Amino acid sequence: MTRTLALVALGAAFGLASPVLAQDAAPQPVVVELFTSQGCTACPPADAMLAEMAGREDVIGLSLHVDYWNYLGWEDTFSQAAFTERQHGYGHAAGSTVVYTPQIVVGGSDRVMGARAMEVADLIAAHRAAPDHVQFAVGRTDDSTFTLEATWTGASPAPDMVVQLVAFTPHERVEISRGENAGRVADYHNVVRDWRVVAEWDGSRPFVARIAPSAEMPHIVIVQETGYGAILGVARLE
């Protein structure tokens, strides 16, 4: 069963599509989410670590700015309540009610406190060594529209999954004039601007869609186990 949800303008348009053009059988990159804030004095080392990941092909590092430090005198210009909710969702999935920054989540399932580079590197290597559970075929029908087909290749039955579309800007520079980081000129990489669930999927049949991004920024598709579980597949739209 596939149930597609409506999208608003910032994301993309999803609908049935003809078979896609090409299949990429290379190992998929590992998704690394950094929950951060411009008002967090402990976050710059983690932000710098994410910057180092931004140019890698085997990793998709994403910077999600939370809003719970905005009361400290500086409102994070990229913060969204939805990202705070996502971090809480990961916490609840792990049996915790505590959130903090910086926090890193690797592959949707492994959590790291702070900028622990070696621990993150080991987790990335472990996720890279694991088999991919979802295979993607991505193609283009024209300059602005992608076709996508996702197929479950893991053990049957597949878990309940959500298909998500993520848009991000590769680089942003911010002059922070107030709060605990006042006077700092901060560089942020792969700043998530939109993250939405576009479909629920049970893997019994391929998920097929046509995607027309309405914003000129990189987009990726993430398939994740429902309930903030493991990330089971990811595809760049490029």
Side-chain angles (χ1 to χ4, degrees):
M1 177 187 70
T2 299
R3 185 165 67 86
T4 303
L5 307 179
L7 295 176
V8 298
L10 182 60
F14 271 65
L16 293 179
S18 58
V20 292
L21 303 179
Q23 178 76 42
D24 182 1
Q28 294 170 18
V30 178
V31 176
V32 177
E33 300 170 61
L34 168 63
F35 293 94
T36 186
S37 173
Q38 294 167 10
C40 163
T41 56
C43 287
D47 296 324
M49 193 168 70
L50 190 96
E52 294 176 359
M53 297 180 196
R56 292 174 57 172
E57 288 297 318
D58 62 336
V59 176
I60 297 178
L62 299 171
S63 179
L64 293 94
H65 288 240
V66 298
D67 65 351
Y68 50 81
W69 296 127
N70 286 353
Y71 74 93
L72 293 176
W74 175 260
E75 184 170 344
D76 190 311
T77 55
F78 308 126
S79 65
Q80 294 187 33
F83 302 153
T84 299
E85 181 181 353
R86 182 169 179 82
Q87 189 182 20
H88 275 291
Y90 275 131
H92 291 155
S96 172
T97 59
V98 178
V99 294
Y100 51 84
T101 55
Q103 183 187 37
I104 293 170
V105 179
V106 181
S109 58
D110 291 298
R111 297 154 184 82
V112 179
M113 180 187 297
R116 299 178 179 176
M118 290 305 299
E119 185 175 350
V120 171
D122 289 344
L123 288 171
I124 289 173
H127 281 266
R128 285 281 293 168
D132 296 323
H133 297 291
V134 178
Q135 291 295 330
F136 295 93
V138 178
R140 300 192 74 148
T141 59
D142 54 44
D143 289 341
S144 60
T145 304
F146 295 89
T147 56
L148 173 83
E149 182 175 306
T151 304
W152 175 255
T153 58
S156 297
D160 291 334
M161 296 171 282
V162 288
V163 182
Q164 302 162 104
L165 183 69
V166 181
F168 59 92
T169 51
H171 176 251
E172 301 280 359
R173 175 165 290 175
V174 179
E175 296 182 7
I176 301 172
S177 59
R178 297 186 304 279
E180 295 188 0
N181 285 324
R184 180 179 179 83
V185 178
D187 288 288
Y188 298 100
H189 293 77
N190 291 3
V191 179
V192 177
R193 310 309 295 271
D194 191 59
W195 188 310
R196 63 191 61 215
V197 174
V198 298
E200 298 172 354
W201 181 43
D202 67 5
S204 60
R205 292 186 300 174
F207 175 82
V208 183
R210 181 179 290 115
I211 310 169
S214 59
E216 293 186 0
M217 62 182 77
H219 285 68
I220 60 173
V221 172
I222 292 175
V223 175
Q224 186 168 14
E225 188 171 352
T226 300
Y228 298 97
I231 290 175
L232 302 171
V234 59
R236 292 184 173 98
L237 300 185
E238 56 186 16

